[in-house]
Amino acid sequence: MEANTKTVVKTTTVLPTEEFTETEMLLQWNKYAQRLGDKGHKIMQSLLLINDPKLNGTVITFELPNEGSKLDFEGQMYGLLGHLKGHLHNHDITIEAHVNETIQIKRSLNDQDRYNRFLEINPNIELLRSTFGLDLPS
């Protein structure tokens, strides 16, 4: 009976919460993505490298292009989170994934539009065109 009444003392572990910079976080983020790529997880690697995450305190905010990529990311997020917590020595880190589906309108350019754009970038193109008697296709 006396053996059943013993109290069990649980030891509490204090996890590190060292401060880190956004640059250090980005470095570890990219190292993890590279490690995934080396292991053959190219889809997750490309998701991690779509854009740079933003740091606000210990909360990392990451934007993804659509719901499908967010689901893929969230399925693999805990490995990334463990890597970041371990290498940055801060166990308060959290990751928030958001979908940003802003649509960029891509307009088709004709030859004259392309030429004008190249001319803006490098005015010497006009000299090249006139020297060799080049014309834009109709």
Side-chain angles (χ1 to χ4, degrees):
M1 184 85 169
E2 187 176 318
N4 290 338
T5 60
K6 288 184 180 179
T7 57
V8 177
V9 178
K10 290 186 179 180
T11 58
T12 56
T13 322
V14 178
L15 299 173
T17 57
E18 294 177 16
E19 289 189 21
F20 58 94
T21 65
E22 187 167 10
T23 305
E24 293 169 327
M25 181 270 300
L26 286 171
L27 178 68
Q28 291 303 323
W29 185 281
N30 290 329
K31 280 184 179 181
Y32 186 78
Q34 181 63 45
R35 195 171 84 187
L36 287 176
D38 293 345
K39 289 182 178 180
H41 302 285
K42 298 293 186 185
I43 294 173
M44 187 62 183
Q45 178 188 20
S46 65
L47 285 178
L48 290 176
L49 298 177
I50 284 176
N51 59 35
D52 288 338
K54 304 294 180 218
L55 180 65
N56 184 12
T58 58
V59 178
I60 300 169
T61 306
F62 188 57
E63 288 187 354
L64 293 159
N66 56 49
E67 247 348 281
S69 58
K70 181 180 177 186
L71 290 173
D72 289 341
F73 175 77
E74 287 176 343
Q76 300 293 322
M77 182 174 65
Y78 296 105
L80 170 63
L81 199 52
H83 175 83
L84 292 174
K85 285 180 178 183
H87 285 83
L88 296 174
H89 307 291
N90 190 317
H91 286 262
D92 292 339
I93 297 172
T94 57
I95 299 176
E96 293 178 358
H98 301 286
V99 175
N100 184 359
E101 292 183 1
T102 55
I103 300 171
Q104 296 179 357
I105 299 172
K106 294 181 182 178
R107 56 175 239 215
S108 61
L109 299 175
N110 61 25
D111 292 335
Q112 185 64 46
D113 291 335
R114 280 191 212 100
Y115 176 75
N116 291 339
R117 176 68 180 126
F118 290 140
L119 192 58
E120 288 174 14
I121 295 170
N122 187 351
N124 292 330
I125 289 179
E126 179 59 33
L127 177 64
L128 181 69
R129 188 189 67 75
S130 62
T131 301
F132 292 104
L134 302 173
D135 290 325
L136 293 174
S138 302

